[in-house]
Amino acid sequence: MKASPEARDPQSLFLSVVMPTYNEESSVESVIQEHIDIMSQLPSAVTDWEIVVLDDGSKDHTPEILDRLASRLPRLRVIKHSVNLGLFQAFDDVHRSAQGTHVFTTASDGQWPATNLLRMFELMLQTNADLVVGVRPHRDEVYTPWRRFVSHCFQLLPRLLFGVQTHDAGSVKLGRRELFQCELISHSPFVEAERIIRTLREGYRVEFIPVEFLRRSGGKALGARFSYIIASLRDCFRCFWVYRVHSQQSNGKSL
C-alpha cells in the first residue's frame, strides 16, 4: 500500500468527494450542492474534482433526486445498489469508485458542513499529511447516551489493543486514494479504525483536526445498531490477532 515519493508529491491533485446515502431525501440535494459550492474555494493545487454518491437501496425519493441532479451536474457520478447492503459495503464500494488522487469521504445526512473540507485540505498541505481525520469535539452533545457509550468504547479499544489513538475513526477523512482502496480485514464499521491503525503502521503521516458536526435534520442514524456493534467487536479482535499477536509471532520466528 505504500506509495512512492513521486506518487506522494502533491503538485497536482484530483479530488474525489465520496458519500454513501440511504433514505436521505431531506438532505442529500443540499449536501451535494454545498460541496459543489465549496470547490471554488479549494487551493490551486486541486486541478480537477468529482462528487461520487452511492445510493444503498434507498426506499424513499433519494434515487429520483440523485437522477435529477446527475442529469444536470456533469461532475456528479451516481452509483446504485438495487438493495440495501449496509454501511460497510456502501463505503467500500464508493471508496473504490473514486477516480481522484485524493479522496474526501463524508456523509449525505447534513451533519458535516462542507467547510470542514477546506480546513482539512489546508492542514494536509501544511503538514504533507497522507491522511487527515476530522475530530468532533462536541459530538457528545448530539449523540444519545447509548451512542456516546458505544463511541467511547470504540475509542478505548484501539488504545488498549494497538497502542493507537484513532480519536474519531467514524468521522470525515481526507487522504490519498490508496488509503481508501487498500484491502482491510474488517467488514464492519470498525474498518475505519483499522484504516487509521494500518495507515500508521505502514509509516504514513496521519493528522487530526477538530471539525464541525451538526444535529441530523432528517433520516435515521444507523451507526449504533446492535448487529454493527457485534460485528465491529469481532473485527477488532481479528485485527488484534493479525496486527499484534500473529505479527509478533512471525517476527520472533524470523530472528
Side-chain angles (χ1 to χ4, degrees), residues 35-176:
H35 283 81
I36 291 174
D37 293 342
I38 215 73
M39 294 304 175
S40 63
Q41 303 178 45
L42 287 172
S44 58
V46 181
T47 58
D48 200 0
W49 58 269
E50 65 173 356
I51 296 178
V52 187
V53 182
L54 184 145
D55 177 59
D56 191 26
S58 294
K59 301 182 184 302
D60 62 0
H61 294 292
T62 298
E64 292 86 348
I65 293 170
L66 292 175
D67 287 341
R68 173 170 53 81
L69 292 174
S71 68
R72 65 178 180 84
L73 299 172
R75 290 186 173 180
L76 171 65
R77 288 197 292 121
V78 176
I79 304 165
K80 294 183 180 180
H81 288 164
S82 58
V83 296
N84 181 255
L85 299 180
L87 277 175
F88 166 78
Q89 197 61 54
F91 271 108
D92 191 56
D93 286 349
V94 78
H95 285 156
R96 294 186 183 281
S97 298
Q99 297 176 350
T101 61
H102 288 71
V103 173
F104 177 64
T105 178
T106 185
S108 61
D109 55 17
Q111 291 189 278
W112 308 91
T115 50
N116 287 327
L117 173 57
L118 297 178
R119 301 180 63 210
M120 295 171 72
F121 226 109
E122 182 180 4
L123 179 63
M124 186 187 76
L125 295 178
Q126 286 177 348
T127 62
N128 199 28
D130 299 297
L131 180 67
V132 178
V133 181
V135 179
R136 294 166 282 184
H138 305 300
R139 64 186 180 277
D140 284 356
E141 299 173 8
V142 179
Y143 279 174
T144 63
W146 170 245
R147 188 72 185 273
R148 289 199 296 270
F149 172 74
V150 172
S151 177
H152 287 313
C153 288
F154 280 99
Q155 288 181 65
L156 180 62
L157 283 172
R159 293 205 304 268
L160 294 177
L161 298 180
F162 305 94
V164 169
Q165 286 269 20
T166 58
H167 293 286
D168 193 358
S171 183
V172 289
K173 298 178 186 67
L174 169 66
R176 300 188 174 277

Side-chain angles (χ1 to χ4, degrees), residues 214-225:
L214 308 175
R215 293 184 182 276
R216 291 181 67 90
S217 59
K220 183 178 180 181
L222 302 174
R225 279 181 174 178

